Amino acid sequence: MIVIKNKSAIEKMRKAGHSLAQIMQDVRYLLKPGISTLEIDSFIEKKILEFGLKPECKGYAGYKHATCISLNDGLVHGIPSDKVILKSGDFVKIDVVASYAGYCADMTRYFFIENVDIEIKRIAQVAQFALDSAIKLAVEGNRISDISACVQKIVEENGFGVVRSFAGHGIGRNLHEEPEIPNFGKPGLGPVLRSGMTLAIEPMITQGGFDVRVMADGWTVKTVDGGIAAHVEDTVLVTTGMPEILTRLPDSVVEG
Ligand code: MF3
Ligand code: CO
């Protein structure tokens, strides 16, 4: 069942989302060579608590941190560690979920540490464009796979691969709700979108082959071939008109 959120639920998700968006801006100045991913995680967790939010990753399926921080060929679920130190040229993806008064928002942003390879800039830009384009389809009357097909088309046209084994998802009281939102597929299929649905849309894309695997720590997901992986994510409210991006501050706009 896909839950339609009422005004009060939406207000809580908006508060969670805007707080996370602010935190992702504030974390930027920390992201320099020499900092560990555990220090980044601690900073974000502290901010989450300051905003009166609950870090939802912590305790989820036994996960111990507020964020997932994935580098370079890491796609998702990188575990923050004091042994993982950022260096110049790193491509960093920070994924964070937090709730306000029981309602979640989920977002991922990427960051470049000093000068990164031109191919990293290109894959990041394609992931962002795929997300922004897909979000515009989160409109009442469209179907879930319209979002999927849009991501796949943009990513493949640009010569990158879409990961098959992870997907976006509905979100609300729970981090993962129905429907599942794959990043590939034919348009016009799956549930019809209705105003009040809230979706976490998250293109996960690769430079080479789209196969990924979970590492020995049980969480970290990397590309099998060692190619760069990109991931970006927003929590979006479906409306009858332009979707509302709950994880962006109101003055920001969708590009493209
Ligand atoms: N944001 C991730 C997702 O959409 C959740 C991270 S998994 C966790 O699946 F265990 F860290 F919570
Ligand atoms: Co998600």
Side-chain angles (χ1 to χ4, degrees), residues 20-32 40 43-44 67-72 86-96 107-116 120-121 124 128 229-232:
L20 286 184
Q22 184 63 54
I23 293 168
M24 284 289 202
Q25 270 188 18
D26 296 345
V27 80
R28 269 173 196 281
Y29 87 96
L30 274 183
L31 301 178
K32 297 202 176 86
I40 299 166
F43 173 87
I44 292 175
T67 67
C68 299
I69 305 181
S70 305
L71 306 189
N72 305 321
L86 298 190
K87 57 185 191 315
S88 184
D90 276 342
F91 179 38
V92 181
K93 290 131 293 188
I94 303 179
D95 187 349
V96 56
M107 86 184 287
T108 304
R109 290 290 180 269
Y110 58 77
F111 305 90
F112 304 139
I113 307 306
E114 297 184 334
N115 292 318
V116 298
I120 290 179
K121 287 193 180 150
Q128 186 69 58
H231 176 212
V232 60

Side-chain angles (χ1 to χ4, degrees), residues 106 169 200 202 233:
D106 185 359
H169 48 93
E202 47 182 323
E233 172 176 28

